[in-house]
Amino acid sequence: MRSVEDPVESSERRTPGRPRSALAHRAILDAAIQLFVEEGFGAMSMEGVAARAGVGKTTIYRRWDSKEDLVVDAIEEIIIPVPVPDTGSLRGDLIELLVALQRSMRHSVVGQVFPRMAQEVAAGSALGVVYRERILEPRTRMVDAVLHRGIERGELPVRADIELASDLLIGPIILCKLTQRLSDRTSRQRATAIVDTVLFGLRRTQPVGDP
Amino acid sequence: MRSVEDPVESSERRTPGRPRSALAHRAILDAAIQLFVEEGFGAMSMEGVAARAGVGKTTIYRRWDSKEDLVVDAIEEIIIPVPVPDTGSLRGDLIELLVALQRSMRHSVVGQVFPRMAQEVAAGSALGVVYRERILEPRTRMVDAVLHRGIERGELPVRADIELASDLLIGPIILCKLTQRLSDRTSRQRATAIVDTVLFGLRRTQPVGDP
Amino acid sequence: MRSVEDPVESSERRTPGRPRSALAHRAILDAAIQLFVEEGFGAMSMEGVAARAGVGKTTIYRRWDSKEDLVVDAIEEIIIPVPVPDTGSLRGDLIELLVALQRSMRHSVVGQVFPRMAQEVAAGSALGVVYRERILEPRTRMVDAVLHRGIERGELPVRADIELASDLLIGPIILCKLTQRLSDRTSRQRATAIVDTVLFGLRRTQPVGDP
Amino acid sequence: MRSVEDPVESSERRTPGRPRSALAHRAILDAAIQLFVEEGFGAMSMEGVAARAGVGKTTIYRRWDSKEDLVVDAIEEIIIPVPVPDTGSLRGDLIELLVALQRSMRHSVVGQVFPRMAQEVAAGSALGVVYRERILEPRTRMVDAVLHRGIERGELPVRADIELASDLLIGPIILCKLTQRLSDRTSRQRATAIVDTVLFGLRRTQPVGDP
DNA sequence: ACATAATCGAGACGGTACGTCCCGTCTTGTG
DNA sequence: CACAAGACGGGACGTACCGTCTCGATTATGT
């Protein structure tokens, strides 16, 4: 997943010869992520990456062994760390989290990358595994963490099903992204509706009798 | 989306010359759907389809104009109509619906096709549009219909947000499929938990105050 | 040396599928000989041949296994059969032969090809061997034949050294071509001078004493 | 043609900095001539020269501007001055000259270099021009000089065509080298036959009538 | 002693061409 | 006509070198 030889080695000894260009490194990663988003993993070509980065193919192959390796590195570059919110209440935290998720899906490269990755993740390819472990799961764990804190604070029943809650909160956002369905609500309105419904629903886990 | 010239034309006049082989038609569609599932739309090739179907490339291109057209036809072939359940209660209907959805995702070709389609749907490609219109939306509408019937029956508040409810019910199933996360619960347990939580949550639409 | 599969097979059965294009064949050979002359064997590239012929690289590699094979075939195409002259006298025949040789060296592609081939012939490469056998030796043999006829006619001593004569006649022409030395004489004047000197010299094979 | 900066400058002031290695100079020239002979000008590479000389590519390009420059220098290194023979007679001198020419063609690097140069000379490339001026023409002039001396001595008619004679003497040797034709005669036998035939032929320049 | 300066090797750089593979199209003869 | 076979022009693959360009290290000299 890492480049063949790390140029930023902390590192007692320098390798002889001309060092690898940092500019080329950046240009390649930028071109790679752009083309991945525009054309998809299968349709993008190394030749295209080289051309857009203004770089020889050799320079790419010298640093990455395969298209997979390159794209994995490129994906890791665009990770934007989401800070765990702390508004004081479970409801507020979850709304912030969901708003942030919708925003990243809507605006950033992350959102463009996600649908292209669905297939990779489902297929369990090397690329998909990395994406799940480095992008998806950290975000899911963050929701879980916030929910656990809610239980500790007594804002949620001790027995509340965290996994279920997590799916109920994130699922709708993902679904909306995948189906490209447009809503007339703002991100915050949508987040608020989801969070309120789910949190209220979680107070009761017994079968729903007559209302 | 239809083949260039329909061989099963009901149709007053027979075309002159040798008629198209119905066996070849089936063999091509079967090969197409297999390869779509195995390799994905981008990676599969018409050449591969022809080879697996034991057919010349010409025979495929004479009937379909493009890979898109072929795959669309092939996808439509595997649609299994889901009957609208009628257990007598909203809760029962929704559970049946979700169990059926999970089952189809888990077992059939439909489930294998879905992740490959996420990207197409999100990108709004011809293929994606067909998939959404012919596969996704009918199922969503079915959930909506059941929910509306619930309102009519008085099992749900008149003001209940159908779109939100639909997303909350379907989202988790989709999310689970995409992330390939395994649960130790049965489809029915999971469906029940989702339905109960969402239905209970929908009774309350005001902001969640302290519990 | 021959194409991988001969398209002009006389021959009982046709191969199935689309036959190979005769136009492409010609275009490739023409491009090959042009580039060989312009840039030399080492510097010319298959990609360049394909480009100039307006043809895919595949089409070339389908018919020839290597650049050598291609160039050999291309060279064979430009062979212009030199008719054995029959002016009635040895002297006239030889002059005609030498005039024709100088003319082909000066004007045709043959003359452009020759210096590029010198190295190949000397090195004994596949290309060089073909060139020697198919172009050089037939011409040498023709001179030999004319000289033998001269002996039969009694125009030359029976013991005359044919090999020596041949070298003495052809050598100066070749040398002139290689060194690009320009003469103020016409081809015919030069041919006549050479032939007269050599023929006269051949009458005497004993060591040259004082004159 | 000369190196960019001559390391063996006789010369008043030494340049500051590390002086260029004389060992590297020799190693590079040796490697260059070897590779030129083995692979030809077009196929040999500066990288190969550097590798064989055990030297960095920079070191070569610092001293010579191009492959041409390097090879020209390397070729000049192998020039062996041929002494003008003086046996007392024209016939003896010419035989010595031709024997020497055949010997150098057969044995030394010069002989290996010659066929590779034919193309360069004919094409009139920089390399070819140097080769003609520094190697070819001096030898031709030497033959001319010997022939002139023959005229002065009265061994040849005053009107004898020196250029023709020169071509007739040298041409066969060159032709033999180029075509790699093997003879069962010794160099001396062959030289003698050529010289005797040509000298005898030169006595008569009128058209050859009936014998 | 020590700064200065041009050398050295190593090796990364943007490129070009390689020969292979497969794409989707086109063009045959046969059924 | 439909069909299989397969040639067509084209494009990308990953490799190998090309000649150029940086590097740190080395090696002389002129203070």
Side-chain angles (χ1 to χ4, degrees):
Chain A
M1 269 39 154
R2 284 273 81 210
S3 62
V4 178
E5 198 175 341
D6 201 319
V8 208
E9 197 128 5
S10 55
S11 74
E12 312 115 31
R13 299 286 259 93
R14 291 280 286 96
T15 53
R18 180 176 174 177
R20 294 185 177 165
S21 156
L23 282 81
H25 208 83
R26 272 256 52 81
I28 294 167
L29 288 174
D30 290 349
I33 198 69
Q34 280 173 33
L35 287 170
F36 177 80
V37 164
E38 289 172 19
E39 312 189 19
F41 181 77
M44 71 185 280
S45 74
M46 295 299 257
E47 212 139 54
V49 174
R52 179 165 305 196
V55 142
K57 273 195 292 181
T58 328
T59 304
I60 303 184
Y61 282 109
R62 197 177 291 119
R63 297 166 189 238
W64 292 276
D65 287 335
S66 63
K67 195 162 73 170
E68 279 82 3
D69 284 1
L70 170 59
V71 173
V72 163
D73 262 26
I75 295 295
E76 298 201 331
E77 290 280 315
I78 59 158
I79 298 174
I80 2 165
V82 183
V84 186
D86 194 2
T87 60
S89 78
L90 173 60
R91 179 176 180 263
D93 287 355
L94 288 177
I95 289 174
E96 288 313 308
L97 234 30
L98 260 53
V99 166
L101 179 58
Q102 283 179 94
R103 186 144 36 217
S104 80
M105 281 296 176
R106 188 130 57 213
H107 300 305
S108 75
V109 213
V110 181
Q112 298 174 277
V113 163
F114 175 77
R116 308 226 87 112
M117 278 297 177
Q119 158 182 350
E120 302 296 329
V121 173
S125 71
L127 187 57
V129 167
V130 170
Y131 188 74
R132 189 177 60 209
E133 291 175 354
R134 306 266 296 139
I135 314 277
L136 258 29
E137 292 183 348
R139 277 154 180 77
T140 313
R141 272 196 295 274
M142 199 176 294
V143 176
D144 290 359
V146 166
L147 287 168
H148 271 116
R149 195 167 58 190
I151 294 178
E152 283 162 21
R153 281 179 185 150
E155 292 176 283
L156 227 44
V158 198
R159 287 277 190 179
D161 185 337
I162 298 293
E163 191 186 305
L164 175 68
S166 181
D167 285 1
L168 281 167
L169 290 164
I170 300 175
I173 311 286
I174 297 304
L175 181 63
C176 186
K177 179 68 195 177
L178 283 187
T179 58
Q180 293 291 77
R181 188 151 29 78
L182 274 66
S183 176
D184 49 354
R185 305 210 193 159
T186 64
S187 292
R188 185 159 299 274
Q189 286 173 331
R190 202 172 149 68
T192 307
I194 293 170
V195 169
D196 283 346
T197 308
V198 172
L199 283 189
F200 194 80
L202 286 175
R203 304 269 157 77
R204 178 82 142 89
T205 52
Q206 295 91 331
V208 178
D210 56 333
Chain B
M1 272 33 157
R2 281 278 79 207
S3 65
V4 177
E5 195 177 342
D6 200 317
V8 210
E9 197 130 7
S10 55
S11 74
E12 313 118 27
R13 305 279 261 90
R14 293 285 286 101
T15 52
R18 176 174 172 179
R20 290 182 179 169
S21 157
L23 284 80
H25 206 84
R26 271 254 53 82
I28 293 168
L29 287 174
D30 289 350
I33 196 69
Q34 280 173 34
L35 287 169
F36 177 79
V37 164
E38 289 171 19
E39 314 190 18
F41 182 77
M44 72 183 280
S45 74
M46 295 300 256
E47 196 136 30
V49 174
R52 182 167 302 196
V55 142
K57 280 189 283 183
T58 332
T59 306
I60 303 184
Y61 281 107
R62 195 176 298 113
R63 300 170 189 231
W64 293 273
D65 287 336
S66 64
K67 196 162 74 170
E68 278 81 5
D69 285 1
L70 170 60
V71 173
V72 163
D73 262 27
I75 295 294
E76 296 201 333
E77 291 278 317
I78 60 158
I79 297 174
I80 5 164
V82 184
V84 186
D86 194 2
T87 61
S89 77
L90 172 60
R91 181 175 179 266
D93 287 355
L94 289 176
I95 290 174
E96 287 313 307
L97 236 30
L98 260 54
V99 166
L101 179 58
Q102 283 179 94
R103 189 145 30 219
S104 79
M105 281 296 175
R106 188 129 58 212
H107 300 304
S108 75
V109 211
V110 181
Q112 297 175 276
V113 164
F114 174 77
R116 311 226 85 115
M117 280 296 178
Q119 157 183 349
E120 304 296 329
V121 173
S125 71
L127 186 57
V129 168
V130 170
Y131 188 75
R132 190 176 61 208
E133 291 175 354
R134 308 263 298 139
I135 315 273
L136 257 29
E137 292 183 348
R139 277 156 179 76
T140 314
R141 271 197 296 275
M142 199 176 293
V143 175
D144 290 358
V146 166
L147 287 167
H148 272 115
R149 193 165 61 188
I151 294 179
E152 285 161 21
R153 280 178 184 154
E155 292 175 283
L156 228 45
V158 199
R159 288 279 194 174
D161 186 336
I162 297 295
E163 191 185 307
L164 175 68
S166 182
D167 284 1
L168 282 167
L169 291 164
I170 301 174
I173 311 287
I174 297 304
L175 180 63
C176 185
K177 179 68 194 175
L178 283 186
T179 56
Q180 293 291 77
R181 188 152 27 79
L182 275 65
S183 175
D184 48 354
R185 303 208 194 163
T186 64
S187 294
R188 186 159 296 275
Q189 286 174 333
R190 203 171 148 71
T192 306
I194 293 170
V195 170
D196 283 347
T197 308
V198 173
L199 284 188
F200 193 80
L202 286 174
R203 306 268 158 77
R204 179 80 143 87
T205 52
Q206 294 90 329
V208 179
D210 59 332
Chain C
M1 269 38 153
R2 284 274 78 209
S3 64
V4 177
E5 196 175 341
D6 201 317
V8 208
E9 197 127 8
S10 54
S11 77
E12 313 117 29
R13 302 283 261 93
R14 291 281 286 92
T15 54
R18 177 177 176 177
R20 292 184 178 165
S21 158
L23 281 83
H25 209 83
R26 273 254 51 83
I28 294 167
L29 288 174
D30 289 350
I33 197 68
Q34 279 174 34
L35 288 170
F36 177 79
V37 164
E38 289 172 19
E39 314 189 17
F41 182 76
M44 71 184 280
S45 75
M46 294 300 257
E47 213 140 52
V49 174
R52 180 167 304 194
V55 139
K57 272 194 292 180
T58 328
T59 303
I60 302 183
Y61 282 109
R62 197 178 289 119
R63 296 164 190 241
W64 294 275
D65 287 336
S66 64
K67 196 161 72 170
E68 278 82 5
D69 285 1
L70 169 60
V71 173
V72 163
D73 263 28
I75 295 296
E76 298 202 331
E77 291 281 315
I78 59 160
I79 298 174
I80 4 167
V82 183
V84 186
D86 193 3
T87 61
S89 77
L90 172 61
R91 181 175 179 266
D93 288 354
L94 288 177
I95 291 175
E96 289 312 306
L97 235 30
L98 260 52
V99 167
L101 179 58
Q102 282 179 93
R103 188 147 31 221
S104 79
M105 281 296 175
R106 188 131 55 213
H107 300 304
S108 74
V109 213
V110 182
Q112 297 176 278
V113 164
F114 175 78
R116 309 226 86 114
M117 278 297 176
Q119 157 181 355
E120 304 295 330
V121 173
S125 71
L127 188 56
V129 168
V130 170
Y131 188 75
R132 189 178 59 210
E133 291 175 354
R134 307 266 300 141
I135 314 277
L136 257 31
E137 293 184 347
R139 277 156 181 75
T140 312
R141 272 195 295 273
M142 199 176 294
V143 175
D144 291 358
V146 166
L147 287 169
H148 271 115
R149 197 167 56 190
I151 294 178
E152 286 161 19
R153 283 179 184 151
E155 292 175 284
L156 227 45
V158 199
R159 288 272 190 187
D161 187 336
I162 299 293
E163 191 185 306
L164 174 68
S166 182
D167 285 0
L168 281 168
L169 291 163
I170 301 177
I173 312 286
I174 297 302
L175 181 63
C176 185
K177 177 70 196 175
L178 283 186
T179 58
Q180 295 290 79
R181 186 150 30 77
L182 275 65
S183 176
D184 49 354
R185 305 210 193 158
T186 63
S187 294
R188 187 160 296 274
Q189 285 173 334
R190 201 172 150 68
T192 306
I194 292 171
V195 169
D196 283 347
T197 308
V198 172
L199 283 189
F200 193 80
L202 286 174
R203 305 266 158 79
R204 175 83 141 90
T205 50
Q206 294 90 329
V208 178
D210 56 331
Chain D
M1 268 36 152
R2 282 277 78 209
S3 63
V4 176
E5 196 175 342
D6 201 317
V8 208
E9 197 127 9
S10 54
S11 75
E12 314 117 30
R13 303 282 259 91
R14 294 286 287 100
T15 52
R18 178 177 175 176
R20 291 182 180 169
S21 156
L23 283 79
H25 208 81
R26 270 254 54 83
I28 294 168
L29 287 174
D30 289 349
I33 196 69
Q34 279 173 34
L35 287 169
F36 177 79
V37 164
E38 290 171 19
E39 314 190 17
F41 182 77
M44 72 183 278
S45 74
M46 295 299 256
E47 196 136 32
V49 175
R52 182 167 304 194
V55 142
K57 279 190 285 184
T58 331
T59 305
I60 302 183
Y61 281 106
R62 197 176 293 114
R63 298 170 189 228
W64 294 273
D65 287 336
S66 64
K67 196 162 72 170
E68 279 81 6
D69 285 0
L70 170 59
V71 173
V72 163
D73 263 27
I75 294 296
E76 298 202 330
E77 292 279 318
I78 59 160
I79 298 176
I80 8 169
V82 184
V84 186
D86 191 3
T87 61
S89 77
L90 171 60
R91 179 175 180 266
D93 288 354
L94 289 176
I95 290 173
E96 287 313 306
L97 235 29
L98 261 53
V99 166
L101 179 57
Q102 284 179 93
R103 189 150 30 224
S104 80
M105 282 295 175
R106 189 130 58 213
H107 300 304
S108 74
V109 214
V110 181
Q112 298 176 276
V113 164
F114 174 77
R116 311 228 85 114
M117 279 297 178
Q119 156 181 352
E120 304 296 329
V121 173
S125 71
L127 186 55
V129 168
V130 170
Y131 189 75
R132 190 176 61 210
E133 291 175 353
R134 308 265 297 139
I135 314 276
L136 258 29
E137 292 183 346
R139 275 153 182 78
T140 313
R141 271 196 296 274
M142 200 176 293
V143 175
D144 290 359
V146 166
L147 287 167
H148 272 116
R149 196 166 56 190
I151 293 177
E152 285 162 18
R153 281 180 187 151
E155 292 175 283
L156 228 43
V158 197
R159 288 278 193 178
D161 186 336
I162 298 294
E163 190 186 307
L164 175 68
S166 181
D167 285 0
L168 282 167
L169 290 165
I170 302 177
I173 311 285
I174 297 302
L175 180 63
C176 187
K177 179 68 195 176
L178 283 186
T179 57
Q180 295 290 81
R181 189 149 30 76
L182 275 66
S183 176
D184 49 354
R185 305 207 193 162
T186 64
S187 295
R188 185 159 298 273
Q189 286 174 331
R190 203 173 148 70
T192 307
I194 293 169
V195 169
D196 283 347
T197 308
V198 172
L199 284 188
F200 192 80
L202 286 174
R203 305 264 158 82
R204 175 84 143 90
T205 52
Q206 295 90 326
V208 178
D210 57 331

